[in-house]
Amino acid sequence: ISGNDALVLHAGGSVTNNVGGSISGLGALGVGLGSGAGVYITGAAGTVTNHSAISGVAYGVGLGAGGLVTNTSSITGGEDGVIVQGAIGTVANSGSITATVDDGVALFAGGSVTNASGASISGLGTLGAGVFITGGVGTVTNAGSISGPNHHGVLIAGGGSLSNAATGSISALGVGVFFETNPGTITNAGFITGTGVDGTGIYLENGGNATNTSTGTITGNKFGAFLELSLIHI
C-alpha cells in the first residue's frame, strides 16, 4: 500500500501489517492529512500491529487520539518513526523504529515504551531523541538499544520512570537519559552514556532517584550523572 498518506482511518480502528506486507507514505512533509504518513489513525484510539515494513516521509505510524503500536519488524519515518498524540500512547517494540529528522518514538500525552532485547529505537535528527515523552507521565522499559546520536537518548518531560536492563544500551551525543521539568526515577543495570564533548549520562533536572546496579555503567564526557535535588544509589 502506498500513497501520499498510505493508509488513513478517520474514526479510530486497527491495522495489521503481516509478514511480507509493505505500507509506504510518499507525500512531502506538510502535505496531506498525515503529512506523508505510512499509517495515520485519528478520531478515536488506534491500534497498529506491524510484522513487516511501514514507512513514511513524515511519520511511519501516527495516532491522533492515542492507542497502541506493536512492532516486530521495521517502522521508519522522517519526522518521527512513531508519533502518538491526543491521548496516552503505548509502544511495544521488538524490531526497529527509526526517524531521520526527529524522534524515533514521540508520545505527546504521556504513556509507555517497551523496547525488547535485540530491538532498537533511534532518532537520528539534529534535535531528535530516541524516545521523547511529554504531556503526561512516561514509562520506558529498555532491554535493547535506544539512541539519539545528535541529541537525547530518552527525554521525559512529564515525570515518570525508566528501567534499563543489563542487556540495555541508551546513548546520545547530548544526554543519555534526561528527565526534564518533573521528577524521574531511573534504575540502570545496563549502559547509559552521553558521548559528546558536553555529554551527560543521566540528568534529573527537578528531583528524583537514580539507582545504578552492580552491572550498570553510566558515563558522560562532562558528567556521568547530573542530579538536582535528587538521590543516587550505586
Side-chain angles (χ1 to χ4, degrees):
I1 301 173
S2 64
N4 182 40
D5 299 305
L7 184 55
V8 177
L9 303 182
H10 291 273
S14 63
V15 173
T16 299
N17 189 36
N18 288 315
V19 174
S22 176
I23 302 175
S24 301
L26 306 176
L29 284 170
V31 177
L33 177 64
S35 303
V39 175
Y40 189 82
I41 303 175
T42 188
T47 300
V48 176
T49 303
N50 179 51
H51 300 300
S52 192
I54 298 177
S55 64
V57 171
Y59 313 118
V61 173
L63 303 181
L68 167 67
V69 177
T70 301
N71 178 53
T72 66
S73 189
S74 172
I75 297 175
T76 60
E79 186 72 19
D80 298 297
V82 173
I83 181 171
V84 184
Q85 299 171 299
I88 291 172
T90 302
V91 176
N93 180 50
S94 56
S96 67
I97 300 175
T98 307
T100 58
V101 175
D102 207 346
D103 306 310
V105 172
L107 307 182
F108 283 90
S112 64
V113 176
T114 302
N115 194 45
S117 178
S120 65
I121 300 174
S122 300
L124 304 177
T126 303
L127 297 177
V131 173
F132 173 60
I133 305 176
T134 189
V137 173
T139 302
V140 175
T141 303
N142 180 54
S145 171
I146 299 176
S147 63
N150 299 309
H151 198 39
H152 296 101
V154 174
L155 194 163
I156 300 176
S161 63
L162 178 140
S163 177
N164 192 42
T167 57
S169 172
I170 301 173
S171 63
L173 191 69
V175 182
V177 176
F178 183 23
F179 276 88
E180 183 182 43
T181 308
N182 290 288
T185 298
I186 298 171
T187 302
N188 178 54
F191 185 74
I192 301 175
T193 186
T195 61
V197 173
D198 293 322
T200 298
I202 63 172
Y203 182 4
L204 298 179
E205 185 179 61
N206 194 30
N209 292 276
T211 299
N212 195 43
T213 73
S214 61
T215 62
T217 300
I218 300 172
T219 64
N221 282 324
K222 188 172 185 179
F223 300 108
F226 191 92
L227 303 101
E228 301 183 36
L229 307 173
S230 306
L231 296 174
I232 185 167
H233 306 279
I234 301 175

